[in-house]
């Protein structure tokens, strides 16, 4: 990288398409999600500015650090979460806006970066010196091991289709051969991807590590003020970035033209609607049920998808 | 800060504390959270840990046993915070105003921002009270002091 690129890189990371843009749009999507949940439950739901007011209020509150808590771990965890979400956002949106940009292996890097918020949750929960945090962290760890397997298998299916680990080649492949979800293996992989995304976002039925009604927030139980705001913001950002990644990987070619934006938004909204409706109409699974689901049926479906892709279907 | 004040008023997360209540007020609080009244319209949410809370909704006359826990809960809640007494018991002790087992009212333990009297108060009254604490609606009743004839 040239030294002259540094200001541009900082702009990419902090303003557009990084922290600021993804944060603002992600919070707007959080409002849509809360509004749709409210409509499903025959309520009116919150006003449009509600997620912004929540974050603003949390930023204005005092942050309590529990007695004897390791300060670096406790304060570093929210920063790690927001860093992971921001970097994921930069790579995904750069690829969306400039389909030919990117570097070799960015799919693999994305896979690791998108796991950072979950790892931050574990660190924060373990560092909070609270039994709720410790139980939440251990549940999160079990869940991460389970759903990342399915997530990886879905991504591997895409890699087999495109014979590449670059997002740019995924675009090129889909521009030449139609969307990956059009093939049987691609469709199966996308279903696996959406279910794993549900778990990655910590949504019902897979919000087992936070479980408001039994673990009072799990890893987040001891967080207040800024720390809680950063975790919520990271969650909202992932709520924008992961569905975008899903559209990029499975739902057809994206070109950097005005027309493709029009084509892109309905696809994104369809993925979001699937996530929100699963969340609004299901109850929380127990940890053992969720682990059996992910290690059993979902991992199996992912393996079948990868196998079909190897056979060229 | 004006913007932060506005955010605080638009997003109140309440933590529900039972300080020896008979469960009547608790049921009315839960009623206020049902889809029929839908407090999420006003940004009010029930949270499950005092660390996330902006307001403590306290019911009950504060028994001697619960006093220390109540104080610890108050300290565990980050600033800025509101304390709201729901029902006749936190307001002045209710029918337990002079029994040996209770402290006779929330005001003797914590600095209270607002009382919502009633035995139990209706869900509408609870919503009105919280809205009043946020400065959205005017006050409807004034406090009156009565002395017991001995």
């Amino acid at each position: 990288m040239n030294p002259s690129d540094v200001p541009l890189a900082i702009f990419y990371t902090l303003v557009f398409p990084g922290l600021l843009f993804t944060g603002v749009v992600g919070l707007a999507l959080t409002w849509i999600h809360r509004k749709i949940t409210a409509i499903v439950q025959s309520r009116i739901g919150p006003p449009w500015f509600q997620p912004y007011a929540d974050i603003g209020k949390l930023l204005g509150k005092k942050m309590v650090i529990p007695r004897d808590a390791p300060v670096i771990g406790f304060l570093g965890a929210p920063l790690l979460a927001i860093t992971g979400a921001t970097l994921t956002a930069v790579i995904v949106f750069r690829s969306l806006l400039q389909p030919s940009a990117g570097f070799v292996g960015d799919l693999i890097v994305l896979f690791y970066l998108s796991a950072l918020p979950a790892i931050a949750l574990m660190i924060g929960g373990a560092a909070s010196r609270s039994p709720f945090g410790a139980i939440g962290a251990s549940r999160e760890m079990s869940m991460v091991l389970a759903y990342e397997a399915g997530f990886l298998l879905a991504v591997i299916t895409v890699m087999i289709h495109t014979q590449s680990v670059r997002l740019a080649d995924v675009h090129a492949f889909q521009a030449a051969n139609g969307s990956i979800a059009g093939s049987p293996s691609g469709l199966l992989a996308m279903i696996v991807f959406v279910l794993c995304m549900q778990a990655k976002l910590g949504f019902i039925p897979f919000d087992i590590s936070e479980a408001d009604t039994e673990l009072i927030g799990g890893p987040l139980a001891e967080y207040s003020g800024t720390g809680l705001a950063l975790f919520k913001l990271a969650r909202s950002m992932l709520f924008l970035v992961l569905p975008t990644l899903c559209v990029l990987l499975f739902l057809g070619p994206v070109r950097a033209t005005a027309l493709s934006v029009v084509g892109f938004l309905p696809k994104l909204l369809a993925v979001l609607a699937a996530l929100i409706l699963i969340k609004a109409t299901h109850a929380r699974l127990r940890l053992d049920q969720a682990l059996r689901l992910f290690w059993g049926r979902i991992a199996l479906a992912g393996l079948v998808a990868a196998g079909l892709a190897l056979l060229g279907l | 800060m004006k913007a932060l004040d506005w955010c605080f008023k638009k997003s109140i997360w309440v933590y529900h504390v039972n300080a020896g209540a008979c469960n009547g007020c608790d049921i009315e609080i839960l009623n206020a959270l049902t889809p029929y009244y839908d407090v999420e319209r006003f940004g009010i949410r029930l949270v499950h840990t005092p660390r996330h809370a902006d307001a403590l909704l306290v019911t009950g006359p504060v028994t001697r046993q619960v006093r220390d826990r109540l104080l610890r809960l108050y300290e565990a809640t980050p600033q800025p915070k509101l304390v709201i007494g729901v029902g006749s018991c936190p307001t002045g002790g209710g029918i337990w105003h002079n029994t040996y087992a209770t402290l006779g009212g929330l005001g003797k333990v914590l600095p209270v921002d607002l009382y919502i009297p009633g035995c139990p108060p209706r869900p509408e009254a609870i919503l009105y009270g919280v809205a009043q604490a946020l400065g959205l609606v005017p006050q409807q009743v004034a406090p009156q002091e009565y002395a017991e004839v001995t």
Side-chain angles (χ1 to χ4, degrees):
Chain A
M1 183 195 265
N2 298 323
S4 59
D5 288 347
V6 171
L8 196 63
I10 291 175
F11 178 78
Y12 275 155
T13 314
L14 291 184
V15 184
F16 182 88
L19 189 60
L20 193 68
F21 170 77
T22 319
V24 169
V25 179
L27 287 177
L29 289 183
T30 308
W31 172 71
I32 293 177
H33 144 226
R34 285 172 71 170
K35 188 79 180 175
I36 291 179
T37 310
I39 290 170
V40 170
Q41 295 170 350
S42 8
R43 293 188 285 128
I44 294 174
W48 66 269
F49 52 76
Q50 194 57 54
Y52 303 103
D54 284 350
I55 295 290
K57 174 208 67 179
L58 286 172
L59 288 176
K61 280 184 79 99
K62 201 177 158 210
M63 187 170 173
V64 182
I65 298 173
R67 190 171 39 198
D68 302 337
V71 176
I72 295 176
F74 190 74
L75 296 183
L79 292 175
L80 186 65
I82 203 92
T83 311
T86 308
L87 293 179
T88 317
V90 171
I91 295 182
V92 168
F93 280 105
R94 186 123 186 278
S95 170
L96 177 67
L97 298 170
Q98 278 180 287
S100 58
F103 49 91
V104 176
D106 50 5
L107 261 180
I108 300 173
V109 173
L110 266 185
F111 175 75
Y112 281 105
L113 282 179
S114 66
L116 270 188
I119 293 169
L121 216 52
M122 282 178 227
I123 297 174
S128 66
R129 302 281 295 186
S130 145
F132 296 110
I135 298 173
S138 83
R139 285 187 182 187
E140 179 75 26
M141 216 175 292
S142 317
M143 283 301 290
V144 166
L145 289 175
Y147 67 68
E148 292 290 2
F151 194 73
L152 187 59
L153 282 169
V155 175
I156 283 177
T157 308
V158 174
M159 291 178 186
I160 293 173
H161 268 285
T162 59
Q163 300 289 325
S164 166
V165 288
R166 281 183 68 200
L167 266 175
D169 291 338
V170 178
H171 293 305
F173 177 85
Q174 297 197 88
N177 305 335
S179 65
I180 289 181
S183 63
S185 62
L187 190 62
L188 194 59
M190 192 179 93
I191 294 169
V192 170
F193 192 90
V194 167
L195 286 172
C196 293
M197 200 155 64
Q198 188 90 1
K200 240 174 156 44
L201 291 167
F203 278 1
I204 296 170
F206 307 120
D207 67 331
I208 295 159
S209 66
E210 285 168 34
D212 265 347
T213 39
E214 44 177 315
L215 283 187
I216 64 169
L220 300 179
E222 288 290 331
Y223 275 97
S224 54
T226 313
L228 188 60
L230 289 182
F231 270 123
K232 298 243 172 218
L233 194 60
R235 177 67 50 82
S236 304
M237 290 166 72
L238 281 187
F239 186 49
L240 169 64
V241 174
L242 289 181
T244 308
L245 180 63
C246 180
V247 173
L248 287 187
L249 287 183
F250 296 103
L251 287 174
V254 177
R255 291 178 209 89
T257 58
L259 196 64
S260 80
V261 172
V262 177
F264 168 76
L265 283 179
K267 294 176 194 168
L268 181 66
L269 288 179
V271 174
L272 287 173
L275 289 175
I276 294 168
L277 288 179
I278 293 175
K279 181 180 180 196
T281 52
H282 282 70
R284 184 185 311 124
L285 292 176
R286 279 200 321 268
L287 182 62
D288 61 319
Q289 291 169 328
L291 291 184
R292 204 168 299 143
L293 181 68
F294 276 109
W295 281 121
R297 282 177 217 163
I298 290 181
L300 199 65
L303 277 177
V304 169
L308 284 178
L310 275 178
L311 293 175
L313 284 169
Chain B
M1 285 280 285
K2 227 173 185 171
L4 287 181
D5 278 354
W6 181 86
C7 288
F8 187 76
K9 283 189 177 178
K10 291 294 175 188
S11 159
I12 290 285
W13 293 358
V14 299
Y15 182 77
H16 169 205
V17 191
N18 182 329
C22 67
N23 228 14
C25 298
D26 308 86
I27 290 171
E28 296 303 317
I29 288 176
L30 289 182
N31 279 349
L33 298 169
T34 51
Y36 186 84
Y37 294 103
D38 188 22
V39 287
E40 205 187 5
R41 283 180 294 162
F42 309 116
I44 300 169
R45 240 184 76 188
L46 189 72
V47 293
H48 305 85
T49 156
R51 291 267 193 253
H52 300 181
D54 305 304
L56 296 176
L57 278 185
V58 188
T59 58
V62 189
T63 59
R64 276 168 36 183
Q65 297 287 332
V66 92
R67 180 180 169 277
D68 292 343
R69 279 81 178 170
L70 198 55
L71 286 172
R72 277 177 60 189
L73 263 179
Y74 183 74
E75 282 162 12
T77 312
Q79 291 281 5
K81 54 194 163 190
L82 295 170
V83 178
I84 301 172
V86 178
S88 298
C89 296
T91 305
I95 60 170
W96 288 284
H97 68 98
N98 59 355
T99 58
Y100 65 91
T102 76
L103 301 178
L106 182 61
K108 292 175 183 166
V109 188
L110 297 179
V112 183
D113 294 279
L114 185 89
Y115 292 108
I116 304 172
C119 187
R122 296 175 61 88
E124 290 93 336
I126 297 175
L127 286 182
Y128 194 92
V130 176
Q132 188 189 314
L134 300 176
L136 301 173
V137 287
Q139 190 174 354
Q140 280 199 329
V141 286
Q144 278 189 331
E145 295 279 335
Y146 292 104
E148 200 169 352
V149 181
T150 46

